Amino acid sequence: MMSDLLLQAAASGVVTGCVYALVALSLVIVYKSTDVVNFAGGELLMLGGYIGLLALVYFELSYPLMFVVVIVAMYAVGALFERIPLTTVRGQRYSKNAEADLVPLVVATIGLGYLLKGAVRVVPYTEEVRRLPPLLEGAPIFIGDVILLKQDIAIIAVTVVVMIALTGFFGWTRTGKALRATSQNPRAAALIGIPVKSMRMIAWGLAAGLAGIAGILLSPKLLMTPDMGNVVMLAFAAAIIGGFSSLVGCVVGGIILGVLQNFVGILISPQAMAVTPFVVIMLILVLRPQGLFGELAFKKV
């Protein structure tokens, strides 16, 4: 009986971990391309969920069309944020230390998070608890004694497709390589003809679009409120576990965290699940600070 319960917990943990991984991937895209840690990732996820709700429920768009609307809208939000506030902040050199100059940029992302949360709160009815209709409906799927909803299968499939697409994008396309070059040495990238400002804008647009996708997939499973972006802390944990610059590491870290949380909830107590991510972060930082895929992380792959 306990083994069946653990198998079900592991399967549910994989699904939850995939959601964490999608948010972590959006954080890593920004970090890989601009070296900035995006603390507004959770609020971007939240905004994507509410835009999806608006498109699906109020404008009665189909789910495929709603995905397109959310991705385009979130890309615009991310690109505009990079082009106006971040470009302005980046233009002010505060010290001779390049790492110290990143601090105002990080503060700007925190400000973006509060701005988005406040903007959503003033919209009528957003304080009411809502939930998006599932992407796929129908009878659950039985894999032995494990039960999975079709929505769960969709989350896993989207995560795998996104991971493969991003790995190919950064590893094989000229734009992806240009984004990596911009992160590693912006001055040298500019000297060889790479439009650094455009690359940074593209990176933020992609990250915001990915956060929007995560918001759509999470909203049918989680009650929608302006505070639902708090899941970003779990995404940070997933990224730290896998290695903050590794795309594959984000997915692996998210799945590990999701499964561990469920196991802790069953074997110890449901209250301990909230502490699990922080315990895991401390263990990883002590035992392997670079994360499970640390070698890849330091090579910016």
Side-chain angles (χ1 to χ4, degrees), residues 33-281:
S33 304
T34 66
D35 278 342
V36 176
V37 179
N38 176 22
F39 283 94
E43 283 68 34
L44 290 170
L45 174 148
M46 176 269 299
L47 182 62
Y50 274 105
I51 293 176
L53 179 68
L54 181 68
L56 194 66
V57 176
Y58 292 96
F59 290 100
E60 299 183 349
L61 300 181
S62 64
Y63 240 115
L65 187 56
M66 181 265 278
F67 261 96
V68 174
V69 169
V70 170
I71 292 171
V72 171
M74 294 304 300
Y75 184 97
V77 170
L80 286 174
F81 174 69
E82 198 291 324
R83 179 49 59 96
I84 301 175
L86 284 190
T87 298
T88 302
V89 173
R90 191 178 282 110
Q92 306 296 324
R93 188 168 180 81
Y94 294 89
S95 71
K96 295 182 179 180
N97 187 333
E99 293 184 358
D101 286 337
L102 293 176
V103 174
L105 301 177
V106 172
V107 173
T109 68
I110 296 173
L112 173 65
Y114 281 107
L115 174 64
L116 294 178
K117 188 183 294 186
V120 170
R121 285 190 190 279
V122 301
V123 177
Y125 307 114
T126 54
E127 287 297 338
E128 297 179 11
V129 176
R130 296 173 180 270
R131 183 174 277 167
L132 272 181
L135 175 61
L136 295 176
E137 295 181 320
I141 298 173
F142 292 85
I143 305 176
D145 294 326
V146 175
I147 304 173
L148 288 176
L149 301 176
K150 290 186 176 180
Q151 174 73 15
D152 297 336
I153 301 297
I155 290 174
I156 295 173
V158 169
T159 303
V160 172
V161 169
V162 168
M163 183 194 70
I164 294 174
L166 289 177
T167 301
F169 174 73
F170 279 103
W172 299 99
T173 68
R174 296 185 63 178
T175 302
K177 292 178 181 179
L179 286 169
R180 293 168 56 194
T182 300
S183 170
Q184 293 171 357
N185 194 324
R187 185 181 296 274
L191 289 174
I192 62 174
I194 295 175
V196 174
K197 291 183 179 180
S198 296
M199 291 298 104
R200 287 170 174 161
M201 186 178 69
I202 290 172
W204 271 93
L206 288 174
L210 185 55
I213 294 174
I216 294 173
L217 296 178
L218 182 64
S219 295
K221 298 179 66 66
L222 186 70
L223 295 178
M224 294 179 65
T225 71
D227 294 317
M228 65 183 291
N230 293 336
V231 72
V232 73
M233 294 307 300
L234 300 171
F236 273 116
I240 291 171
I241 292 171
F244 211 88
S245 291
S246 171
L247 299 178
V248 175
C250 283
V251 177
V252 174
I255 291 174
I256 290 174
L257 180 60
V259 172
L260 278 178
Q261 275 191 301
N262 283 359
F263 281 177
V264 168
I266 292 174
L267 299 176
I268 302 178
S269 74
Q271 290 76 18
M273 293 176 66
V275 184
T276 303
F278 304 101
V279 174
V280 172
I281 287 175

